[in-house]
Amino acid sequence: GKKGGVVLGGAARRGRDQKAGGGKPTRKEVAELAGVSKKTVSRIINNSPSVNAATRDAIQSLILDIG
């Protein structure tokens, strides 16, 4: 697996190349799905207070929906 990945499934895994993608989606993949930066995803995962509440809620909901 990739170090620092986020555990997600369902929609996040669809279309992933089975040979290359195999494991859990990365923060980069979550960021691409959400339309935010990898750093924003990292900040949300690490509960940083610097993320706008609306952005945090939207990304957390996305993660729950696809997980």
Side-chain angles (χ1 to χ4, degrees), residues 30-52:
V30 173
E32 289 172 354
L33 286 169
V36 298
S37 71
K38 293 184 296 183
K39 186 64 177 176
T40 298
V41 174
S42 181
R43 287 177 176 142
I44 291 167
I45 290 167
N46 292 304
N47 295 314
S48 170
S50 67
V51 179
N52 177 285

Side-chain angles (χ1 to χ4, degrees), residues 1-9 12-13 16 21-31 38 41-46 63 66-67:
K2 295 180 180 179
K3 191 173 185 179
V6 177
V7 178
L8 299 174
R13 298 180 89 136
R16 289 170 51 94
K24 55 191 174 181
T26 64
R27 290 174 195 212
K28 178 181 177 185
E29 291 167 325
V30 173
K38 293 184 296 183
V41 174
S42 181
R43 287 177 176 142
I44 291 167
I45 290 167
N46 292 304
I63 292 170
I66 63 179

